[in-house]
PDB file of all heavy atoms in Angstrom:
ATOM      1  N   PRO T   1      88.467  72.884  73.111  1.00  0.00           N
ATOM      2  CA  PRO T   1      87.382  73.454  72.223  1.00  0.00           C
ATOM      3  C   PRO T   1      86.132  72.601  72.308  1.00  0.00           C
ATOM      4  O   PRO T   1      86.243  71.448  72.565  1.00  0.00           O
ATOM      5  CB  PRO T   1      87.928  73.273  70.829  1.00  0.00           C
ATOM      6  CG  PRO T   1      89.442  73.026  71.095  1.00  0.00           C
ATOM      7  CD  PRO T   1      89.629  72.376  72.318  1.00  0.00           C
ATOM      8  N   GLY T   2      84.993  73.209  72.174  1.00  0.00           N
ATOM      9  CA  GLY T   2      83.765  72.425  72.000  1.00  0.00           C
ATOM     10  C   GLY T   2      83.190  71.841  73.345  1.00  0.00           C
ATOM     11  O   GLY T   2      82.216  71.024  73.142  1.00  0.00           O
ATOM     12  N   ILE T   3      83.723  72.188  74.473  1.00  0.00           N
ATOM     13  CA  ILE T   3      82.985  71.717  75.693  1.00  0.00           C
ATOM     14  C   ILE T   3      81.797  72.526  75.973  1.00  0.00           C
ATOM     15  O   ILE T   3      81.678  73.730  75.520  1.00  0.00           O
ATOM     16  CB  ILE T   3      83.956  71.729  76.956  1.00  0.00           C
ATOM     17  CG1 ILE T   3      84.522  73.139  77.255  1.00  0.00           C
ATOM     18  CG2 ILE T   3      85.128  70.847  76.713  1.00  0.00           C
ATOM     19  CD1 ILE T   3      85.318  73.224  78.569  1.00  0.00           C
ATOM     20  N   THR T   4      80.866  71.978  76.667  1.00  0.00           N
ATOM     21  CA  THR T   4      79.508  72.669  76.893  1.00  0.00           C
ATOM     22  C   THR T   4      79.721  73.699  77.978  1.00  0.00           C
ATOM     23  O   THR T   4      80.707  73.727  78.713  1.00  0.00           O
ATOM     24  CB  THR T   4      78.474  71.629  77.339  1.00  0.00           C
ATOM     25  OG1 THR T   4      78.814  71.091  78.673  1.00  0.00           O
ATOM     26  CG2 THR T   4      78.378  70.435  76.370  1.00  0.00           C
ATOM     27  N   PRO T   5      78.768  74.683  78.052  1.00  0.00           N
ATOM     28  CA  PRO T   5      78.790  75.638  79.122  1.00  0.00           C
ATOM     29  C   PRO T   5      78.874  75.048  80.571  1.00  0.00           C
ATOM     30  O   PRO T   5      79.602  75.556  81.397  1.00  0.00           O
ATOM     31  CB  PRO T   5      77.545  76.412  78.964  1.00  0.00           C
ATOM     32  CG  PRO T   5      77.275  76.376  77.435  1.00  0.00           C
ATOM     33  CD  PRO T   5      77.713  74.900  77.160  1.00  0.00           C
ATOM     34  N   ASP T   6      78.070  73.941  80.722  1.00  0.00           N
ATOM     35  CA  ASP T   6      78.207  73.338  82.056  1.00  0.00           C
ATOM     36  C   ASP T   6      79.493  72.612  82.341  1.00  0.00           C
ATOM     37  O   ASP T   6      79.926  72.625  83.443  1.00  0.00           O
ATOM     38  CB  ASP T   6      77.121  72.258  82.111  1.00  0.00           C
ATOM     39  CG  ASP T   6      75.707  72.814  82.397  1.00  0.00           C
ATOM     40  OD1 ASP T   6      75.604  74.002  82.880  1.00  0.00           O
ATOM     41  OD2 ASP T   6      74.747  72.128  82.124  1.00  0.00           O
ATOM     42  N   GLN T   7      80.139  72.065  81.324  1.00  0.00           N
ATOM     43  CA  GLN T   7      81.385  71.487  81.460  1.00  0.00           C
ATOM     44  C   GLN T   7      82.484  72.568  81.786  1.00  0.00           C
ATOM     45  O   GLN T   7      83.384  72.290  82.552  1.00  0.00           O
ATOM     46  CB  GLN T   7      81.802  70.672  80.205  1.00  0.00           C
ATOM     47  CG  GLN T   7      81.059  69.369  80.082  1.00  0.00           C
ATOM     48  CD  GLN T   7      81.238  68.753  78.704  1.00  0.00           C
ATOM     49  OE1 GLN T   7      81.613  69.403  77.765  1.00  0.00           O
ATOM     50  NE2 GLN T   7      80.876  67.422  78.574  1.00  0.00           N
ATOM     51  N   ARG T   8      82.374  73.630  81.104  1.00  0.00           N
ATOM     52  CA  ARG T   8      83.251  74.819  81.309  1.00  0.00           C
ATOM     53  C   ARG T   8      83.100  75.240  82.825  1.00  0.00           C
ATOM     54  O   ARG T   8      84.110  75.558  83.504  1.00  0.00           O
ATOM     55  CB  ARG T   8      82.985  75.933  80.428  1.00  0.00           C
ATOM     56  CG  ARG T   8      83.772  77.238  80.764  1.00  0.00           C
ATOM     57  CD  ARG T   8      83.439  78.397  79.812  1.00  0.00           C
ATOM     58  NE  ARG T   8      84.202  79.574  80.183  1.00  0.00           N
ATOM     59  CZ  ARG T   8      84.178  80.810  79.669  1.00  0.00           C
ATOM     60  NH1 ARG T   8      83.173  80.916  78.647  1.00  0.00           N
ATOM     61  NH2 ARG T   8      84.820  81.827  80.072  1.00  0.00           N
ATOM     62  N   LYS T   9      81.856  75.412  83.252  1.00  0.00           N
ATOM     63  CA  LYS T   9      81.591  75.768  84.617  1.00  0.00           C
ATOM     64  C   LYS T   9      82.163  74.909  85.625  1.00  0.00           C
ATOM     65  O   LYS T   9      82.764  75.236  86.638  1.00  0.00           O
ATOM     66  CB  LYS T   9      80.073  75.906  84.820  1.00  0.00           C
ATOM     67  CG  LYS T   9      79.721  76.465  86.157  1.00  0.00           C
ATOM     68  CD  LYS T   9      78.173  76.648  86.274  1.00  0.00           C
ATOM     69  CE  LYS T   9      77.801  77.133  87.618  1.00  0.00           C
ATOM     70  NZ  LYS T   9      76.259  77.290  87.759  1.00  0.00           N
ATOM     71  N   ALA T  10      81.986  73.529  85.381  1.00  0.00           N
ATOM     72  CA  ALA T  10      82.566  72.610  86.259  1.00  0.00           C
ATOM     73  C   ALA T  10      84.110  72.510  86.285  1.00  0.00           C
ATOM     74  O   ALA T  10      84.674  72.533  87.349  1.00  0.00           O
ATOM     75  CB  ALA T  10      82.093  71.142  85.841  1.00  0.00           C
ATOM     76  N   LEU T  11      84.757  72.692  85.114  1.00  0.00           N
ATOM     77  CA  LEU T  11      86.193  72.751  85.045  1.00  0.00           C
ATOM     78  C   LEU T  11      86.773  74.043  85.700  1.00  0.00           C
ATOM     79  O   LEU T  11      87.696  73.936  86.492  1.00  0.00           O
ATOM     80  CB  LEU T  11      86.640  72.723  83.597  1.00  0.00           C
ATOM     81  CG  LEU T  11      88.121  72.453  83.256  1.00  0.00           C
ATOM     82  CD1 LEU T  11      88.466  71.082  83.890  1.00  0.00           C
ATOM     83  CD2 LEU T  11      88.311  72.380  81.712  1.00  0.00           C
ATOM     84  N   THR T  12      86.028  75.214  85.556  1.00  0.00           N
ATOM     85  CA  THR T  12      86.388  76.362  86.289  1.00  0.00           C
ATOM     86  C   THR T  12      86.283  76.181  87.819  1.00  0.00           C
ATOM     87  O   THR T  12      87.109  76.665  88.517  1.00  0.00           O
ATOM     88  CB  THR T  12      85.478  77.485  85.830  1.00  0.00           C
ATOM     89  OG1 THR T  12      85.606  77.776  84.380  1.00  0.00           O
ATOM     90  CG2 THR T  12      85.875  78.809  86.506  1.00  0.00           C
ATOM     91  N   SER T  13      85.266  75.445  88.251  1.00  0.00           N
ATOM     92  CA  SER T  13      85.058  75.313  89.670  1.00  0.00           C
ATOM     93  C   SER T  13      86.231  74.515  90.260  1.00  0.00           C
ATOM     94  O   SER T  13      86.649  74.719  91.351  1.00  0.00           O
ATOM     95  CB  SER T  13      83.756  74.591  89.952  1.00  0.00           C
ATOM     96  OG  SER T  13      82.604  75.443  89.550  1.00  0.00           O
ATOM     97  N   MET T  14      86.724  73.524  89.426  1.00  0.00           N
ATOM     98  CA  MET T  14      87.829  72.692  89.914  1.00  0.00           C
ATOM     99  C   MET T  14      89.037  73.512  90.029  1.00  0.00           C
ATOM    100  O   MET T  14      89.817  73.374  91.013  1.00  0.00           O
ATOM    101  CB  MET T  14      87.984  71.477  88.893  1.00  0.00           C
ATOM    102  CG  MET T  14      86.902  70.539  88.833  1.00  0.00           C
ATOM    103  SD  MET T  14      87.067  69.248  87.530  1.00  0.00           S
ATOM    104  CE  MET T  14      88.347  68.313  88.240  1.00  0.00           C
ATOM    105  N   VAL T  15      89.308  74.366  89.002  1.00  0.00           N
ATOM    106  CA  VAL T  15      90.468  75.246  89.037  1.00  0.00           C
ATOM    107  C   VAL T  15      90.477  76.219  90.253  1.00  0.00           C
ATOM    108  O   VAL T  15      91.445  76.411  90.915  1.00  0.00           O
ATOM    109  CB  VAL T  15      90.670  75.989  87.740  1.00  0.00           C
ATOM    110  CG1 VAL T  15      91.841  77.091  87.837  1.00  0.00           C
ATOM    111  CG2 VAL T  15      91.073  74.994  86.582  1.00  0.00           C
ATOM    112  N   LEU T  16      89.288  76.739  90.407  1.00  0.00           N
ATOM    113  CA  LEU T  16      89.170  77.721  91.571  1.00  0.00           C
ATOM    114  C   LEU T  16      89.369  76.997  92.874  1.00  0.00           C
ATOM    115  O   LEU T  16      89.948  77.656  93.866  1.00  0.00           O
ATOM    116  CB  LEU T  16      87.747  78.365  91.551  1.00  0.00           C
ATOM    117  CG  LEU T  16      87.500  79.274  90.376  1.00  0.00           C
ATOM    118  CD1 LEU T  16      85.979  79.892  90.497  1.00  0.00           C
ATOM    119  CD2 LEU T  16      88.531  80.337  90.181  1.00  0.00           C
ATOM    120  N   ALA T  17      88.764  75.768  92.986  1.00  0.00           N
ATOM    121  CA  ALA T  17      89.159  75.017  94.197  1.00  0.00           C
ATOM    122  C   ALA T  17      90.557  74.743  94.348  1.00  0.00           C
ATOM    123  O   ALA T  17      91.000  74.784  95.583  1.00  0.00           O
ATOM    124  CB  ALA T  17      88.391  73.688  94.159  1.00  0.00           C
ATOM    125  N   ALA T  18      91.300  74.426  93.354  1.00  0.00           N
ATOM    126  CA  ALA T  18      92.761  74.188  93.417  1.00  0.00           C
ATOM    127  C   ALA T  18      93.497  75.444  93.971  1.00  0.00           C
ATOM    128  O   ALA T  18      94.535  75.310  94.692  1.00  0.00           O
ATOM    129  CB  ALA T  18      93.335  73.794  92.110  1.00  0.00           C
ATOM    130  N   THR T  19      93.025  76.605  93.621  1.00  0.00           N
ATOM    131  CA  THR T  19      93.743  77.857  94.031  1.00  0.00           C
ATOM    132  C   THR T  19      93.489  78.068  95.503  1.00  0.00           C
ATOM    133  O   THR T  19      94.177  78.928  96.076  1.00  0.00           O
ATOM    134  CB  THR T  19      93.277  79.139  93.238  1.00  0.00           C
ATOM    135  OG1 THR T  19      91.904  79.350  93.547  1.00  0.00           O
ATOM    136  CG2 THR T  19      93.485  78.908  91.802  1.00  0.00           C
ATOM    137  N   LYS T  20      92.708  77.343  96.217  1.00  0.00           N
ATOM    138  CA  LYS T  20      92.449  77.507  97.573  1.00  0.00           C
ATOM    139  C   LYS T  20      93.127  76.379  98.387  1.00  0.00           C
ATOM    140  O   LYS T  20      93.059  76.383  99.654  1.00  0.00           O
ATOM    141  CB  LYS T  20      90.913  77.406  97.924  1.00  0.00           C
ATOM    142  CG  LYS T  20      90.096  78.591  97.386  1.00  0.00           C
ATOM    143  CD  LYS T  20      88.614  78.369  97.692  1.00  0.00           C
ATOM    144  CE  LYS T  20      87.826  79.558  97.150  1.00  0.00           C
ATOM    145  NZ  LYS T  20      87.780  79.638  95.725  1.00  0.00           N
ATOM    146  N   ALA T  21      93.773  75.506  97.626  1.00  0.00           N
ATOM    147  CA  ALA T  21      94.493  74.370  98.351  1.00  0.00           C
ATOM    148  C   ALA T  21      95.862  74.867  98.799  1.00  0.00           C
ATOM    149  O   ALA T  21      96.519  75.722  98.354  1.00  0.00           O
ATOM    150  CB  ALA T  21      94.769  73.218  97.284  1.00  0.00           C
ATOM    151  N   PRO T  22      96.385  74.169  99.920  1.00  0.00           N
ATOM    152  CA  PRO T  22      97.610  74.495 100.502  1.00  0.00           C
ATOM    153  C   PRO T  22      98.817  74.359  99.513  1.00  0.00           C
ATOM    154  O   PRO T  22      99.751  75.244  99.580  1.00  0.00           O
ATOM    155  CB  PRO T  22      97.714  73.517 101.699  1.00  0.00           C
ATOM    156  CG  PRO T  22      96.353  73.172 101.989  1.00  0.00           C
ATOM    157  CD  PRO T  22      95.597  73.183 100.769  1.00  0.00           C
ATOM    158  N   ALA T  23      98.700  73.380  98.653  1.00  0.00           N
ATOM    159  CA  ALA T  23      99.759  73.274  97.663  1.00  0.00           C
ATOM    160  C   ALA T  23      99.915  74.439  96.786  1.00  0.00           C
ATOM    161  O   ALA T  23     101.008  74.799  96.331  1.00  0.00           O
ATOM    162  CB  ALA T  23      99.539  71.941  96.803  1.00  0.00           C
ATOM    163  N   TRP T  24      98.810  75.071  96.442  1.00  0.00           N
ATOM    164  CA  TRP T  24      98.870  76.288  95.518  1.00  0.00           C
ATOM    165  C   TRP T  24      99.491  77.445  96.348  1.00  0.00           C
ATOM    166  O   TRP T  24     100.270  78.155  95.834  1.00  0.00           O
ATOM    167  CB  TRP T  24      97.479  76.646  95.077  1.00  0.00           C
ATOM    168  CG  TRP T  24      97.488  77.750  94.059  1.00  0.00           C
ATOM    169  CD1 TRP T  24      97.008  79.072  94.340  1.00  0.00           C
ATOM    170  CD2 TRP T  24      97.995  77.767  92.753  1.00  0.00           C
ATOM    171  NE1 TRP T  24      97.192  79.781  93.194  1.00  0.00           N
ATOM    172  CE2 TRP T  24      97.834  79.092  92.243  1.00  0.00           C
ATOM    173  CE3 TRP T  24      98.745  76.838  91.969  1.00  0.00           C
ATOM    174  CZ2 TRP T  24      98.200  79.368  90.943  1.00  0.00           C
ATOM    175  CZ3 TRP T  24      99.052  77.152  90.721  1.00  0.00           C
ATOM    176  CH2 TRP T  24      98.825  78.422  90.181  1.00  0.00           C
TER     177      TRP T  24
END
């Protein structure tokens, strides 16, 4: 809760990057 829009965007980018990883 309470993270900024930019922090949400950055966290989303990290998760999206993870879904492109071989481990995923």
Side-chain angles (χ1 to χ4, degrees):
I3 59 175
T4 68
D6 281 344
Q7 289 169 340
R8 176 186 178 182
K9 184 177 180 181
L11 196 54
T12 301
S13 294
M14 294 173 72
V15 170
L16 295 182
T19 64
K20 297 178 177 65
W24 185 249

